[in-house]
Amino acid sequence: MHFIKAKVSKIILALTSVGIVILLMFPASLSATHFRYGTLSWDLVDNDTIRLKGGIGWNAGHGSWNEISDYGETSLSTFVGSVRDYLDVTWGGGSPTSSDMHHKVLSRSGSTTSDSVITQIGTYSSGWTEGLTHDYDNGTHIIYWGSSSRTSVHSDQSGNGGTWRNETMVRIGGDFVGNVSPVSAVPDTVRVQDNKTFSYQVSATDANGDNLTYRWGTKAEFFGSSGTFVMPTGMTLSSSGLIEWDVRDNNTALSTTTDDLWNAVIMVEDRLDNGTARSHIPVDFFFLITDPSNDPPVFTVFPTGTQTIFSGSTKTITIKSTDDSGTAPTITVLNPPSDNSSIWSTSSSTSGGETTFSITFAPDSSMEDTSYVVNIRSTDGASMTKDQSFGIQVSSVTNADPTAPILLSPADDANVTSPVTFRFAGSTDSDGDNVSYTRYVCTNSGFVGC
């Protein structure tokens, strides 16, 4: 493999989808490679009104995030929380209509124009409201938005095009009464260490508790054109959302170069028992090939499964990470569910090369019966990152957590031989609920692929 820096070309293409041209009214001076990531989801306001939500990733060099803000701060150091008014969403149906979207900045990965900005969609009048609402008749409806200027990727994927389209499917009535979509989130760019095997778990959660299935997206769904999406060479995606990729030197089917960028587009579906999709949501993001000599940090403590919490209570989530350099890494949240410090707050400390990151989450009644996927990033001193996500469901039903089972044998971190028997002291529940157990088996110390 070659370890030379590849230049990312800038391209401007027009997006045409189902005869409808969606144009972004950006000044000509703005960066032409601004789109980096997107996902959509929706929940119900009532039986026929949905609230559309979404997370979008941008190149920080794009003028909308570097120079201009309709509401809030404009400087690079203070614009988290700024709101920008642009783009339309098309609601679909027999006579598609469109609505303006506002974008609120959730996080920024650094202070230069080569960094990333993560935003959420919503509306702004006298203040910020997450999400856009729309009434539907019974039936199937496709919501979408998009434009040109997707960040350029490896030449093996050039056939995917420079446009982007994010869509989600809404079904109202009949077998779909009361259904809401899954929710997902990933970082805009996931770093992949060259000359290694790589795995990444795409996370999603569903407020209805539906089983979720993951599949590659199509060009029509993500690029507004016909044909088959060209996935990263040799990358696999399981139906449970596990991505695996062999980028070792001895893999002759693939040639990778440091700073190569690859694109992945995935649909997450919740399905009826007969396999019919109730809805689908898009996950569109990138992989960046990085220096083979710098291992990423590892998470030594990370929440497993979806965390359930009821409104009016407080939950503390602890995450720990180390790095082989011996210097404690920095842990950040890329998409916090709230910017209200009385609802969501974090703290961090380091000791002996390990970082302990604590999240305090106290959802209010407005967050009841909603789901979130939260992206956590650990960054070492050489800017190598490890990304992992976990789900949260906020319940309106008061329910105390069971106690955690306690490992009795073998000792934690012990070396064992096969076969091995694990013994735990069982959990108890103060509400008197039955307690069930799920076992997660991970194949590496990063707790990926459980």
Side-chain angles (χ1 to χ4, degrees), residues 14 167 278 302:
E167 72 166 52
R278 294 173 179 258
F302 201 88

Side-chain angles (χ1 to χ4, degrees), residues 255-268:
S255 176
T256 53
T257 300
T258 301
D259 288 347
D260 275 352
L261 200 63
W262 300 74
N263 179 224
V265 294
I266 294 168
M267 277 295 184
V268 185

Side-chain angles (χ1 to χ4, degrees), residues 205-243:
T205 185
D206 187 275
N208 299 120
D210 296 331
N211 290 325
L212 302 180
T213 298
Y214 302 73
R215 63 171 174 83
W216 293 116
T218 68
K219 290 184 73 171
E221 292 167 334
F222 285 89
F223 300 86
S225 60
S226 61
T228 303
F229 162 67
V230 181
M231 69 191 71
T233 305
M235 181 179 287
T236 62
L237 171 69
S238 74
S239 60
S240 60
L242 178 63
I243 290 174

Side-chain angles (χ1 to χ4, degrees), residues 37-345:
Y37 152 74
T39 186
L40 298 172
S41 64
W42 54 271
D43 56 22
L44 294 174
V45 178
D46 54 42
N47 284 337
D48 60 0
T49 303
I50 67 102
R51 179 187 296 107
L52 178 70
K53 299 179 180 180
I56 316 298
W58 308 96
N59 186 323
H62 188 281
S64 293
W65 313 118
N66 193 346
E67 303 165 3
I68 306 167
S69 180
D70 291 343
Y71 315 95
E73 301 295 338
T74 60
S75 71
L76 292 178
S77 61
T78 59
F79 75 64
V80 170
S82 298
V83 177
R84 180 80 168 105
D85 176 12
Y86 63 79
L87 301 175
D88 291 339
V89 58
T90 299
W91 293 108
S95 300
T97 58
S98 62
S99 299
D100 290 340
M101 290 194 296
H102 290 71
H103 298 254
K104 180 180 180 180
V105 178
L106 294 178
S107 65
R108 181 190 179 102
S109 64
S111 59
T112 71
T113 57
S114 63
D115 297 307
S116 300
V117 170
I118 303 295
T119 69
Q120 65 178 198
I121 65 173
T123 59
Y124 191 102
S125 54
S126 57
W128 172 256
T129 301
E130 183 184 3
L132 296 85
T133 59
H134 190 75
D135 292 333
Y136 279 117
D137 295 328
N138 288 355
T140 299
H141 310 274
I142 300 295
I143 305 171
Y144 63 92
W145 74 280
S147 185
S148 59
S149 304
R150 178 192 297 272
T151 298
S152 299
V153 292
H154 191 276
S155 59
D156 284 3
Q157 293 189 291
S158 61
N160 291 337
T163 59
W164 86 80
R165 169 189 168 101
N166 274 188
E167 72 166 52
T168 181
M169 181 175 69
V170 176
R171 283 182 159 158
I172 301 290
D175 290 336
F176 311 106
V177 170
N179 188 58
V180 300
S181 80
V183 173
S184 186
V186 297
D188 65 307
T189 305
V190 177
R191 293 175 179 263
V192 178
Q193 185 184 10
D194 206 352
N195 197 23
K196 299 285 185 179
T197 56
F198 170 81
S199 60
Y200 180 80
Q201 178 66 50
V202 179
S203 297
T205 185
D206 187 275
N208 299 120
D210 296 331
N211 290 325
L212 302 180
T213 298
Y214 302 73
R215 63 171 174 83
W216 293 116
T218 68
K219 290 184 73 171
E221 292 167 334
F222 285 89
F223 300 86
S225 60
S226 61
T228 303
F229 162 67
V230 181
M231 69 191 71
T233 305
M235 181 179 287
T236 62
L237 171 69
S238 74
S239 60
S240 60
L242 178 63
I243 290 174
E244 295 182 294
W245 201 16
D246 183 356
V247 293
R248 290 175 295 181
D249 289 348
N250 59 6
N251 180 5
T252 58
L254 173 66
S255 176
T256 53
T257 300
T258 301
D259 288 347
D260 275 352
L261 200 63
W262 300 74
N263 179 224
V265 294
I266 294 168
M267 277 295 184
V268 185
E269 297 177 330
D270 54 337
R271 297 181 177 180
L272 297 172
D273 292 341
N274 63 6
T276 300
R278 294 173 179 258
S279 65
H280 63 228
I281 62 166
V283 183
D284 184 335
F285 62 111
F286 295 85
F287 292 100
L288 178 68
I289 303 297
T290 66
D291 184 349
S293 65
N294 184 21
D295 294 334
V298 296
F299 289 109
T300 55
V301 174
F302 201 88
T304 300
T306 297
Q307 309 295 299
T308 301
I309 181 172
F310 61 91
S311 64
S313 69
T314 299
K315 188 177 186 72
T316 299
I317 298 169
T318 300
I319 297 167
K320 296 184 179 183
S321 181
T322 61
D323 184 67
D324 60 0
S325 66
T327 301
T330 300
I331 300 177
T332 54
V333 180
L334 302 185
N335 59 334
S338 175
D339 58 6
N340 184 336
S341 60
S342 65
I343 293 176
W344 179 273
S345 62

